[in-house]
Amino acid sequence: FVGVVKSVIRAISPYVHVLDVTHDIAPHDVRAGALALARSAQYLNPGVVLGVVDPGAATDRRNIAIDVGDGASVLVGPDNGVLAPAVAMAGGAGRAVSLTNIDYQLEAPGATFDGRDVFAPAAAHLCNGVDLFELGEPVDADVLFPGMVPLPQIDDATVIAQALWTDRFGNVQLNVGPDDIPSTFGDMVELRMSAPADATGGTTRVATRTASFAEVASGAVGLVTDANGMLAIVMNQRSAADELGVDDGDQVVISPLDEDAGRVGEALPVSVDLTTR
């Protein structure tokens, strides 16, 4: 699929340079695609950005193109929320169109591959200098389908967060930043992780806030501010997601460590007497 999309772009705009952000989004996971695009937005070179995670292909959801940054870039994709967080990161939408002009699309034998037949041609024609409004009917940018990113619940006693994203190393990014954790919590906190349907159960561990992965003791759990400025649950050269049983969408409750409750899950030094008798 990816190769065909890129070939269509190259056929229409032979001199375009295509940079791949990622093709590792789980099938149908619109939120993960939206988060990946939003995280990348501030680092992407101005140009045309094609973002497609599209379980609603061949339905009545719109195909759209939106310019951002006073026209410096155009985002192209389905109007299902995958583009919305990146649009917000870029300062909001300018002009927006529904991609309805078939003169700038491929003739489709079936309606299920808009990446090939609608989005790739639109992106390529934009690279060739075709004006946005030539691609279809103008739409109100304020009524685009919003991206769904949950907000944490924060008070003096707990921070109720959500696991947003697990990278390929098993680090689990939360929807909270370092400044969202009250300073009274200290450097060691308690994490209680549970699936949405089991909010009272789950796994409880102690985590230490550190600046790097290497500072987390072997077998221990850490909270690190990652490259996107968000807190992530990590382990040193191990998958925190696998070892703690955390999935994207799980609830994570962060609270001050109860000193009387003991060091749950904390790695402690052990001495072994190897003296033979």
Side-chain angles (χ1 to χ4, degrees):
F1 292 114
V2 173
V4 168
V5 168
K6 293 170 75 169
S7 185
V8 168
I9 293 172
R10 183 60 64 88
I12 296 171
S13 185
Y15 302 105
V16 70
H17 293 280
V18 179
L19 305 177
D20 299 274
V21 175
T22 183
H23 300 298
D24 292 331
I25 304 302
H28 321 304
D29 196 342
V30 174
R31 190 181 73 166
L35 289 169
L37 191 56
R39 290 184 180 97
S40 307
Q42 62 182 312
Y43 303 103
L44 297 181
N45 193 60
V48 179
V49 178
L50 175 60
V52 184
V53 181
D54 195 18
T59 68
D60 59 358
R61 67 99 187 89
R62 293 182 300 187
N63 303 316
I64 56 172
I66 312 161
D67 71 14
V68 296
D70 295 324
S73 296
V74 181
L75 278 66
V76 178
D79 186 19
N80 61 1
V82 71
L83 303 181
V87 171
M89 287 290 293
R95 301 183 301 167
V97 299
S98 178
L99 301 173
T100 55
N101 189 344
I102 61 174
D103 291 340
Y104 294 100
Q105 300 175 15
L106 299 188
E107 184 175 350
T112 61
F113 195 177
D114 285 340
R116 175 194 66 194
D117 302 325
V118 180
F119 302 131
H125 285 299
L126 287 166
C127 289
N128 285 343
V130 172
D131 186 75
L132 183 69
F133 282 160
E134 291 294 317
L135 301 180
E137 302 169 356
V139 296
D140 185 353
D142 292 332
V143 297
L144 299 176
F145 196 90
M148 303 302 291
V149 178
L151 298 176
Q153 302 175 43
I154 302 171
D155 60 35
D156 292 337
T158 58
V159 174
I160 302 177
Q162 187 178 107
L164 286 184
W165 172 277
T166 302
D167 66 21
R168 70 187 185 93
F169 301 104
N171 304 313
V172 181
Q173 187 184 77
L174 305 177
N175 62 334
V176 293
D179 294 336
D180 292 325
I181 307 298
S183 59
T184 54
F185 282 24
D187 290 334
M188 298 187 69
V189 296
E190 180 183 278
L191 303 180
R192 188 172 74 249
M193 296 148 285
S194 59
D198 185 28
T200 59
T203 302
T204 300
R205 293 287 297 268
V206 169
T208 303
R209 296 183 64 178
T210 66
S212 69
F213 304 110
E215 292 178 28
V216 182
S218 178
V221 178
L223 272 182
V224 170
T225 303
D226 68 11
N228 298 293
M230 305 300 286
L231 287 179
I233 304 171
V234 307
M235 298 184 75
N236 190 349
Q237 300 184 46
R238 294 159 70 169
S239 169
D242 289 345
E243 298 207 24
L244 303 179
V246 184
D247 293 322
D248 293 351
D250 283 1
Q251 177 178 282
V252 179
V253 178
I254 307 170
S255 55
L257 184 64
D258 183 353
E259 297 291 345
D260 295 330
R263 305 297 197 189
V264 181
E266 181 183 354
L268 299 174
V270 177
S271 61
V272 180
D273 185 357
L274 299 179
T275 306
T276 57
R277 297 184 184 276

